[in-house]
Amino acid sequence: MPVLKKIALTITSAALLSGFILSPAVAADKDTSDDKQPKPPSTMSSLGGEQLGKAGTQVNLGAGAPVLPKKLSGRSWIVADAESGDVLAAHNAHWRLPPASTLKMLFADTVLPALQPTQTHTVSESELAGVGEGSSLVGIKEDHTYTVHDLWLGVFLRSGNDAVHVLSEMYGGLPQTVAAMQKHAEELQALDTVVVSPDGYDAPRQVSSAYDLTLIARSGMQKKDFREYAATASADFPGEKKKGKKRESFEIQNTNRLITGDIGVDPYQGIAGVKNGYTTHAGNTFTGVAERNGKVLLVTVMNPSAEESHAVYKEAAHLLDWGFSASGKVTPVGQLVPPKSLDTGISTGGKGAAPAADQGTGGQAKAAHASAASKGSSGVGVALAIIGGLLVVVAAGVFLVNRRWPVPGLGSRPAPEADGPEADAPEADAPEAKDSGATADAVPAAEPAAPAAEDAGKPADKS
């Protein structure tokens, strides 16, 4: 019997060493953290190209093309040529995810043309009652009067859900606004998008995708006012009116850190917008547009790692850098499709032919303050030069095959000096703060001295 026991123990030990048997203690040591991460669906839309419907990273590198940036953690991302529509590379492009405040791009693209910027409105209590708990706010007060221009500054710069709700009421109410946004998304062929709230606040079934957000941004950039608001670094916003005193204003800054910069993030050279977002379920989201050497690129990053501060901006900057270097050296993995009403070949205007008309509602957005440019941001300077009246519009609304939907004013100016700020900024000293359900900038920016929420290293906004 002792001999048999010894043989049995020997066999068991060998099996353990060979990996055939895992004791509970050994099994517990196995790293299963990746198993807990959400996985993209096995079947996604292939709109824009077959490769875009596949899970994982899609890129077709040619001779001399740089490799993609390392350690990209976004669950979904895309980098595309804004004018030709070529998708240079993508990762789970059609994965339907919560969009956070990037959905405000669709809100603005839908509502901007309907309201005149000089129109004034006195805010009622009921208009602010439906703003979600923990929302990012610009600091709108009931019984106070604002212009539409003021309200759009609140939407684009501070991602103010209070401003979105007031503008929605002016448009006809929340249900009508949501319905109009959904209809516009369908016109743009942003078919992954389901709109439930106009501000992007977390809501059941509300989703979009990196592909759709890029389509939406491209559409918004056709509008002069949209471009101006999206590129504004800072502006004055009306403050609280006190009896017997002149109404004062306070400064608001754009929460898009590729425009304004922050600790660990330099303003990106050639940046011209577009929108960032953050919610508990969406994580950080960002869509941006930038110009360099006459080339205009769009990038969207959704839900990157929360372990690194400002990861969404850093990864977007890395992808833009890669895109500018890789342009002409990769075979596109797909295309940004045009709106349903826009011919894909040669068109001479008609419904949906926005670039020729340079659509907008007056283009009265303020230029960013000189203080932003004084930080050494040539990127902000380029963006402001682009929107400063030096716009080049495609003549007669003709869309060439290799220039399917050009962005007016972008790609037509000389590139900035090469010694501008580096996009590859050093990492922040501390990791990004994790959200517990409330926003980092939920407190209204009611005082001029109040810092932007992300100045403290917290997420950009709670949509």
Side-chain angles (χ1 to χ4, degrees), residues 68 303 320 389:
L68 282 164
N303 205 337
L320 285 170

Side-chain angles (χ1 to χ4, degrees), residues 121-400:
H121 180 76
T122 302
V123 177
S124 67
E125 181 181 2
S126 62
E127 291 172 338
L128 301 177
V131 176
E133 183 180 356
S135 286
S136 54
L137 307 172
V138 68
I140 291 172
K141 306 291 184 184
E142 62 183 82
D143 299 326
H144 284 56
T145 300
Y146 302 87
T147 65
V148 167
H149 170 73
D150 294 329
L151 296 172
W152 282 120
L153 287 172
V155 171
F156 277 87
L157 273 66
R158 290 297 303 174
S159 204
N161 288 6
D162 47 359
V164 170
H165 278 246
V166 173
L167 286 166
S168 295
E169 291 299 330
M170 295 178 69
Y171 187 74
L174 290 177
Q176 181 172 327
T177 302
V178 167
M181 289 171 64
Q182 189 67 60
K183 183 177 180 181
H184 188 48
E186 293 168 3
E187 155 63 16
L188 296 178
Q189 299 202 66
L191 305 182
D192 297 325
T193 300
V194 177
V195 184
V196 178
S197 66
D199 48 25
Y201 190 87
D202 281 336
R205 303 182 310 280
Q206 181 157 270
V207 291
S208 190
S209 66
Y211 185 87
D212 279 16
L213 292 174
T214 307
L215 289 181
I216 293 164
R218 184 180 60 164
S219 176
M221 292 297 289
Q222 307 302 311
K223 299 174 175 62
K224 185 172 183 286
D225 282 6
F226 187 106
R227 293 196 301 275
E228 292 179 345
Y229 288 123
T232 300
S234 63
D236 291 330
F237 192 83
E240 186 174 359
K241 186 176 181 180
K242 298 179 181 179
K243 189 175 181 180
K245 294 184 179 181
K246 181 181 178 181
R247 188 177 184 182
E248 297 181 351
S249 62
F250 58 93
E251 185 179 87
I252 56 175
Q253 279 200 336
N254 201 319
T255 56
N256 178 351
R257 295 308 176 203
L258 291 190
I259 289 180
T260 59
D262 200 359
I263 298 173
V265 179
D266 287 336
Y268 190 81
Q269 184 181 7
I271 193 71
V274 173
K275 191 72 189 74
N276 56 300
Y278 176 81
T279 65
T280 304
H281 295 294
N284 286 286
T285 58
F286 176 74
T287 297
V289 62
E291 182 269 346
R292 188 178 296 173
N293 296 325
K295 179 70 66 177
V296 185
L297 297 182
L298 284 160
V299 64
T300 296
V301 177
M302 302 186 76
N303 205 337
S305 170
E307 300 301 318
E308 182 179 9
S309 178
H310 300 318
V312 75
Y313 301 113
K314 294 176 181 179
E315 295 189 16
H318 292 328
L319 285 168
L320 285 170
D321 282 344
W322 175 85
F324 287 123
S325 297
S327 181
K329 302 173 184 176
V330 296
T331 300
V333 298
Q335 282 284 325
L336 298 178
V337 295
K340 288 181 179 179
S341 57
L342 184 62
D343 190 356
T344 58
I346 297 178
S347 172
T348 55
K351 183 180 178 183
D358 194 24
Q359 291 181 353
T361 57
Q364 299 188 17
K366 298 178 182 178
H369 287 206
S371 59
S374 68
K375 296 178 180 178
S377 167
S378 62
V380 173
V382 169
L384 295 179
I386 289 169
I387 67 170
L390 300 175
L391 301 171
V392 178
V393 180
V394 180
V398 176
F399 299 90
L400 302 180

Side-chain angles (χ1 to χ4, degrees), residues 101-119:
S101 277
T102 48
L103 193 66
K104 288 183 172 77
M105 295 188 298
L106 179 60
F107 170 73
D109 196 35
T110 303
V111 176
L112 250 173
L115 302 173
Q116 291 299 316
T118 56
Q119 183 178 345

Side-chain angles (χ1 to χ4, degrees), residues 18-34:
S18 301
F20 291 117
I21 300 176
L22 286 176
S23 68
V26 174
D29 290 337
K30 184 183 178 182
D31 184 9
T32 60
S33 58
D34 188 58

